Amino acid sequence: MRKLWLLSLFILSSASVGLAQGSDDYNKWEAYAGYSLGRFESNINKASFTSSNGTQTFTDLCSAATGQEIGPNSQKFFCTRRTFNGFDGSVTYNVSRYIGIKGDFTAHFKSQSFVDKFTPGVTQTLSNNEHRYNFLGGVQIKNNRRTARFKPFAHALAGLARYSNRQQQTLDLFPQFNFTIEDHETSFAMKLGGGLDIRAGKKVDIRIFEFDYNPVFAGDRQPKSIAGPFTNISFSGKTAHNFTIGVGIVIH
C-alpha cells in the first residue's frame, strides 16, 4: 500500500509539473494600444424640429429635396461615411493557448464644419464636434505561443457605444434662426474582425493591422436645445454600419 501511495504521489506530481510547463508556453496576458482610423456614418434616420412656428420633419434626410432645404454640404453630415481619428486599447486574458477573454475600449473624434450658400446671399455654417466611444468585451482567437512569430487573430466583441455631438448652425443674415444643440446617445454595439501581430521581442509584438466591422444600433432620442428657436427636437435612430482600421503595439 505504501508503494502504491508513493507511486500515485509521483504520478500526480509529474502531471502537475507537465501541466505547469504546458501552461507556460503561451502568454497569459496581453495589452494593446494603438492608433485607430474610423469610417463612420450617421446614426440618425429622421429628424423633427419644433418651434413657435410649428414642426418640421425630415423623413428622407438623403433626398435631393432635403438637400435643397438644409444645404447639400450640410446633408453630407447625415448621408456620407466620414473619417474619424482616434485610438484603441484592449486587455486580454488567455485561458488557453488559442482562446482569450478580451476587454476593449476605443475613442474617435472629429470636428467639422459644412458651409452652404442660399439665395439671396445667405451663408449657412453647420459646425459639429463629435465624440464616439466603445466599451466592449468578448472572445479572441489567436495563437499565443511565446515563440510564435506570426500571430493572426480574430475577435467577436459586444457592449455599449456612446455618441455625443455639439452641433451649431449659424445664418449670417438671419441670426434669429441660429441654434446650438447637444446630441447624446448610448447604444448596443459590436466589433467583429481581426488582424495580424508579429513578434518583435520577448515581451513585445507589433500589430501591423487590425480591421473591424463596428455596427452601432442607435435608438430614438431627444437632443438638448442649448440655444435657438426650438422647443423640441427628436431624432429617429438607425443602425450605423461603421468600420475601423488600426496599428499599434502589444505587450505581454
Side-chain angles (χ1 to χ4, degrees):
M1 289 295 294
R2 183 179 179 184
K3 290 181 179 180
L4 182 60
W5 182 84
L6 290 173
L7 179 61
S8 300
L9 181 62
F10 174 77
I11 292 173
L12 289 173
S13 300
S14 300
S16 299
V17 171
L19 287 173
Q21 290 176 344
S23 67
D24 287 338
D25 69 348
Y26 67 90
N27 299 305
K28 289 294 187 69
W29 290 92
E30 70 175 49
Y32 167 73
Y35 167 76
S36 179
L37 182 147
R39 292 284 289 165
F40 299 123
E41 62 180 16
S42 170
N43 59 15
I44 301 173
N45 186 41
K46 295 188 297 183
S48 294
F49 301 88
T50 301
S51 67
S52 58
N53 295 322
T55 299
Q56 184 176 21
T57 300
F58 299 97
T59 57
D60 188 353
L61 287 166
C62 298
S63 68
T66 300
Q68 292 179 354
E69 289 191 65
I70 68 174
N73 289 322
S74 296
Q75 190 179 39
K76 294 176 183 178
F77 173 81
F78 301 100
C79 305
T80 61
R81 185 174 280 113
R82 297 174 294 125
T83 300
F84 285 62
N85 293 301
F87 62 88
D88 184 2
S90 65
V91 175
T92 305
Y93 173 69
N94 296 309
V95 298
S96 73
R97 176 176 165 182
Y98 294 102
I99 299 176
I101 305 301
K102 188 173 192 174
D104 184 86
F105 170 75
T106 61
H108 293 88
F109 312 96
K110 190 174 187 67
S111 295
Q112 186 175 21
S113 295
F114 303 91
V115 179
D116 290 285
K117 294 185 181 296
F118 298 92
T119 304
V122 178
T123 300
Q124 170 189 278
T125 302
L126 187 69
S127 300
N128 298 275
N129 185 17
E130 299 171 86
H131 295 184
R132 297 172 181 263
Y133 303 98
N134 279 281
F135 306 88
L136 309 171
V139 177
Q140 175 175 275
I141 299 175
K142 176 182 177 181
N143 181 3
N144 293 290
R145 187 174 181 179
R146 293 183 185 275
T147 58
R149 179 166 177 79
F150 298 98
K151 304 176 184 180
F153 67 92
H155 53 212
L157 312 175
L160 297 177
R162 177 66 173 173
Y163 173 77
S164 66
N165 179 29
R166 186 178 180 92
Q167 185 175 84
Q168 185 175 36
Q169 177 190 274
T170 57
L171 293 167
D172 58 351
L173 297 185
F174 300 99
Q176 65 271 26
F177 296 112
N178 294 346
F179 68 79
T180 302
I181 64 175
E182 287 187 352
D183 180 20
H184 301 281
E185 171 66 3
T186 301
S187 315
F188 175 70
M190 300 177 69
K191 188 175 180 180
L192 308 171
L196 176 63
D197 297 343
I198 296 181
R199 186 171 182 262
K202 185 176 180 181
K203 294 291 185 179
V204 178
D205 298 337
I206 303 299
R207 182 155 298 175
I208 63 170
F209 80 91
E210 178 182 333
F211 181 78
D212 293 292
Y213 170 53
N214 177 214
V216 177
F217 304 87
D220 301 341
R221 70 270 193 185
Q222 292 185 312
K224 182 180 180 181
S225 178
I226 304 300
F230 301 124
T231 58
N232 184 66
I233 305 166
S234 64
F235 291 159
S236 175
K238 68 174 185 179
T239 300
H241 300 282
N242 305 318
F243 300 91
T244 62
I245 186 166
V247 295
I249 296 176
V250 180
I251 298 175
H252 46 73

